[in-house]
Amino acid sequence: MPQTTPKGLHRLAFGGDYNPEQWPESVWHEDVRLMREAGVTMVSVGIFSWALLEPAPGRYDFGWLDRLLDLLHEHGVRVDLGTPTVAPPAWFYRAHPEALPVTAEGMRYSYGSRGAICHSSAAYRTAAAGITTELARRYGGHPALALWHVHNEYGVPVSACYCDGCAARFRRWLDDTYGSVEAVNEAWGTAFWGQRYSSYEEIVPPRATPTAGNPAQQLDYRRFADVTIRENFRTERDILHALAPGVPVTTNFMTALSQCDSIDYWAWGREVDLVTNDHYLITDGRRTHVNLAMAADLTRSVAGGAPWLLLEHSTSGVNWQPRNPAKRPGEMARNSLAHVARGSEGALFFQWRQSRRGAEKFHSAMVPHGGTDTRIWREVVALGAGLEALEEVRGSRTVPDVAMLWDWHSWWAQNLEWRPSAAHDARERADSFYETLYDRHLTVDFAHPEADLSAHPLVVVPALYLMTEAAGRNLREYVENGGTLVVSYFSGIVDEHDAVHPGAHPGALRDVLGLTVDEWSPLLDDQRVTVTGPDGATLTGDVWTEFVRPRGAETVWTYADGPAAGGPAVTRHRLGRGTAWYVSTRLDAASLDSIVGAACADAGVAARASLPRDVEVVRRAGDGGQYLFVVNHSAEDAEVPLDGSGTELLAGGAEGTPADGKVDGKITVPAGAVRVVRLDA
């Protein structure tokens, strides 16, 4: 069985992407001295080094990498060694221009960036396997090697190519998947608009068309692209497993819904030895720490609840958004430790030393342009010491309270053309429901719709337009067996081929929700509706309304106005030993709290109402005990109650903490600070 933790790493991982090839070797010795000062335990190297390692086809130059790995080992720094297959050399593209991807509009990209790869290219696959094999042979037994890092951020910036080579490979994938052209016609509903195919040779990728294309074909092409990329990962992984046994293999995910929408991470999570993730704050006006928590919870869930690793985030600002603000003092450590609270076994950054040239020279780093006489460097050193103090939490697992369903295939399908409202956004619904749970101080596990949900007292379904019959049965059994379910509008509508489930909406969810929907009536941009509930309470919805017909469900909130005035807006259905709630309009996170709160009461999920807003309290548990992480994102000091006593691990003697770290009954967490308490048994 492959190892699932970095080999030889006995502390929390701390470090970052290290690109010494950008600097004279005289700088390397200064780097390793600073790494020791900062408490760095692991760095990622070689990710973009293919052109240096193989300067001409079949001619290799490993001398500089030999010296680098020996130097890092000498100074006690473990290595996450990349296969550089995200950036093939210029000589490769000169020989194989067909390996550059083609857009749906027929434009072929040019060389000069990264990730410009047609993953169906046989030449690319051969060359990638070649450099991977040479690296594994040379470094598989190196004493510094802790982890293999295949490629980089699969799916970004190009996930699908539409060239003739991909067309041929797509046809083979369809035959493997469906077995016949007749089955493809059935799955895609090609009787519509006369799109029926009589042979595979007539099928091409869903390239640009004058109006909306076949949605089932587009959905299958996204699946094909994801599978094709994954095949290339598996090829490299299997080479590394064979030639370097005992060293785990990973690739860095981008699970945040704000960062990558082209990869099915449920499937990818089963392929890696250790789930790792890259996360960057998105400056879009949302509460960035909520997005961070959501990404960390989603990554942990992709890992099956096991510890995972934050392989990249930023010390301060990034360089690729329209506006890239610096992180405030203390924010870097707070972000890092929030990931650790939710299961990460450390915190690494892009990058170690800030680049002087290239597209990312304004991206922050552990060693900024200003060097060691900077706030960032001082905070890096302090964070390294903090992670060392938390060594004992390694191997423990984050304890969830509730679950949320998410499916990338459903997201892909919902984002295709000609849906009832362009304003309905699956990511927005997921963000809003998550924020509601976050503000109730509940830790969220994510789950696939067909997964076993029996361990979760409450399951939330924020946006599941595509739902298989198996998933529908799974949710019904979950509720019948005592679970509490909360479902948002436009869920359960189509099957895995984007075909509407037979009968009234919401197809796969009719029975469990105890209702049907006669018709949707999306709202215009400036329209709002009022819904009234228990004791005359009112909430405001927008974007979406529905004509709901209860068939066993009770009406809890009613439309007071709008297209469905007088009809049910929110319903509750008792089924077996459980309860299913349905919300048929868009409510913001604050308004959703009324419904989620009632569902929590049904589920017996205790509220933590005494905790201040923007103060996270997350629990990790393992053989060494239980650990309470308290992360204060607010501008005010927070007093947080404890169930008993414990020892503060991170800041004994700091403000609000006794010198010996002992705390009993409560802990004070200063504004912007983090405290970690090992609870007494």
Side-chain angles (χ1 to χ4, degrees):
M1 181 176 179
Q3 181 166 331
T4 58
T5 59
K7 182 180 179 181
L9 185 61
H10 305 298
R11 294 165 52 190
L12 292 175
F14 180 57
D17 280 30
Y18 183 34
N19 302 292
E21 62 270 30
Q22 299 176 14
W23 304 91
E25 288 197 29
S26 59
V27 177
W28 300 5
H29 294 274
E30 173 71 0
D31 282 333
V32 293
R33 183 187 69 79
L34 292 176
M35 287 177 190
R36 294 185 68 168
E37 180 181 335
V40 166
T41 61
M42 187 171 76
V43 293
S44 302
V45 301
I47 297 168
F48 297 102
S49 301
W50 193 345
L52 294 178
L53 294 170
E54 191 179 4
R59 180 165 64 84
Y60 300 99
D61 179 5
F62 293 115
W64 68 273
L65 190 55
D66 291 346
R67 296 190 296 276
L68 175 67
L69 265 59
D70 290 347
L71 181 65
L72 291 167
H73 177 62
E74 179 185 344
H75 288 80
V77 178
R78 307 295 293 163
V79 171
D80 167 36
L81 183 56
T83 67
T85 52
V86 69
W91 59 256
F92 170 79
Y93 285 119
R94 184 180 182 189
H96 300 286
E98 76 283 358
L100 288 163
V102 174
T103 68
E105 293 75 25
M107 181 193 76
R108 189 179 295 277
Y109 285 111
S110 297
Y111 173 75
S113 182
R114 67 174 193 182
I117 297 164
C118 167
H119 282 274
S120 294
S121 166
Y124 169 76
R125 291 178 172 218
T126 299
I131 186 63
T132 299
T133 298
E134 294 299 324
L135 283 166
R137 286 173 175 163
R138 191 171 190 92
Y139 300 111
H142 196 284
L145 183 62
L147 185 66
W148 286 110
H149 181 309
V150 172
H151 206 267
N152 184 72
E153 295 179 344
Y154 279 107
V156 176
V158 177
S159 60
C161 170
Y162 296 81
C163 71
D164 289 342
C166 285
R169 194 172 189 88
F170 182 45
R171 296 179 194 113
R172 292 195 294 273
W173 180 84
L174 290 172
D175 191 36
D176 291 341
T177 302
Y178 292 104
S180 69
V181 175
E182 290 74 18
V184 173
N185 282 316
E186 177 64 25
W188 288 3
T190 56
F192 184 80
W193 279 359
Q195 295 174 347
R196 187 169 184 83
Y197 300 102
S198 58
S199 71
Y200 284 118
E201 286 66 31
E202 296 172 355
I203 300 175
V204 296
R207 296 166 176 153
T209 53
T211 186
N214 186 316
Q217 180 190 20
Q218 294 181 70
L219 178 58
D220 263 352
Y221 202 75
R222 297 202 68 159
R223 290 171 173 143
F224 157 76
D226 179 58
V227 166
T228 303
I229 295 171
R230 207 178 323 140
E231 287 174 354
N232 284 359
F233 166 77
R234 282 202 297 264
T235 297
E236 294 189 41
R237 179 202 63 193
D238 292 349
I239 291 170
L240 297 170
H241 277 167
L243 297 178
V247 181
V249 180
T250 191
T251 184
N252 44 340
F253 294 168
M254 298 187 73
T255 63
L257 306 185
S258 54
Q259 291 177 249
C260 183
D261 66 354
S262 58
I263 297 295
D264 177 5
Y265 285 116
W266 292 126
W268 279 78
R270 297 188 291 270
E271 302 288 355
V272 297
D273 300 328
L274 170 67
V275 167
T276 63
N277 195 52
D278 297 352
H279 182 266
Y280 293 97
L281 302 182
I282 302 299
T283 311
D284 62 357
R286 307 181 197 217
R287 297 157 70 196
T288 56
H289 55 277
V290 181
N291 175 274
L292 184 158
M294 183 176 177
D297 283 343
L298 186 50
T299 306
R300 182 188 69 253
S301 302
V302 167
W308 55 279
L309 182 59
L310 176 66
L311 207 53
E312 285 185 29
H313 70 316
S314 65
T315 56
S316 190
V318 298
N319 68 302
W320 37 264
Q321 299 184 82
R323 294 168 182 81
N324 298 288
K327 291 186 177 180
R328 299 179 296 279
E331 188 176 1
M332 177 185 67
R334 194 164 63 250
N335 290 168
S336 300
L337 294 171
H339 283 288
V340 174
R342 295 176 186 273
S344 178
E345 296 284 74
L348 291 91
F349 296 91
F350 181 85
Q351 52 189 325
W352 164 252
R353 183 180 287 274
Q354 199 165 15
S355 301
R356 291 186 57 232
R357 296 175 175 83
E360 295 185 289
K361 57 182 171 289
F362 300 125
H363 192 295
S364 60
M366 299 173 77
V367 182
H369 290 307
T372 57
D373 188 20
T374 56
R375 173 179 66 85
I376 286 180
W377 173 252
R378 289 187 286 274
E379 291 192 12
V380 163
V381 173
L383 176 59
L387 289 171
E388 185 176 4
L390 296 179
E391 179 181 326
E392 66 181 84
V393 307
R394 287 178 69 243
S396 62
R397 295 191 173 208
T398 301
V399 180
D401 298 302
V402 299
M404 179 180 288
L405 299 191
W406 182 258
D407 179 25
W408 277 274
H409 291 227
S410 178
W411 195 19
W412 299 342
Q414 187 174 298
N415 285 344
L416 296 173
E417 309 101 324
W418 290 9
R419 299 319 189 208
S421 173
H424 171 51
D425 178 358
R427 178 200 158 191
E428 182 279 328
R429 282 295 77 194
D431 284 348
S432 291
F433 272 93
Y434 183 90
E435 187 173 357
T436 301
L437 296 167
Y438 179 95
D439 284 341
R440 296 184 74 83
H441 305 281
L442 299 173
T443 301
V444 178
D445 258 359
F446 285 82
H448 187 274
E450 295 179 16
D452 180 6
L453 304 172
S454 59
H456 303 288
L458 174 67
V459 172
V460 173
V461 183
L464 205 58
Y465 160 76
L466 182 154
M467 182 179 287
T468 63
E469 291 184 4
R473 289 193 300 269
N474 189 43
L475 293 186
R476 179 183 177 115
E477 291 170 4
Y478 166 75
V479 173
E480 287 177 332
N481 290 326
T484 300
L485 186 70
V486 180
V487 177
S488 184
Y489 63 87
F490 205 46
S491 292
I493 307 303
V494 299
D495 66 13
E496 61 269 32
H497 303 300
D498 199 47
V500 174
H501 284 289
H505 302 313
L509 290 169
R510 281 192 305 263
D511 294 342
V512 70
L513 295 176
L515 56 82
T516 57
V517 174
D518 288 348
E519 198 172 8
W520 306 307
S521 187
L523 301 176
L524 302 181
D525 286 348
D526 59 350
Q527 286 184 299
R528 303 290 184 272
V529 293
T530 301
V531 298
T532 59
D535 302 322
T538 62
L539 300 172
T540 300
D542 63 4
V543 171
W544 195 275
T545 62
E546 295 181 343
F547 295 93
V548 176
R549 189 190 298 268
R551 298 186 185 276
E554 61 178 301
T555 299
V556 183
W557 293 75
T558 302
Y559 286 109
D561 52 26
V570 178
T571 62
R572 179 174 180 261
H573 184 220
R574 300 176 188 270
L575 182 66
R577 293 186 285 114
T579 306
W581 290 77
Y582 184 60
V583 184
S584 69
T585 187
R586 191 177 83 163
L587 304 173
D588 64 18
S591 296
L592 281 171
D593 185 68
S594 298
I595 288 88
V596 170
C600 283
D602 282 348
V605 175
R608 299 189 178 109
S610 61
L611 294 175
R613 191 172 193 252
D614 291 326
V615 176
E616 296 182 32
V617 178
V618 182
R619 188 183 301 261
R620 286 183 63 154
D623 293 341
Q626 295 201 38
Y627 304 91
L628 202 67
F629 284 72
V630 185
V631 186
N632 187 355
H633 297 284
S634 77
E636 305 291 334
D637 294 354
E639 187 173 278
V640 176
L642 300 175
D643 294 330
S645 59
T647 302
E648 209 290 316
L649 301 177
L650 197 60
E655 180 183 352
T657 308
D660 62 0
K662 297 295 184 182
V663 291
D664 190 6
K666 65 180 181 180
I667 186 169
T668 299
V669 185
V674 181
R675 296 289 182 261
V676 181
V677 179
R678 184 205 308 120
L679 298 172
D680 292 338

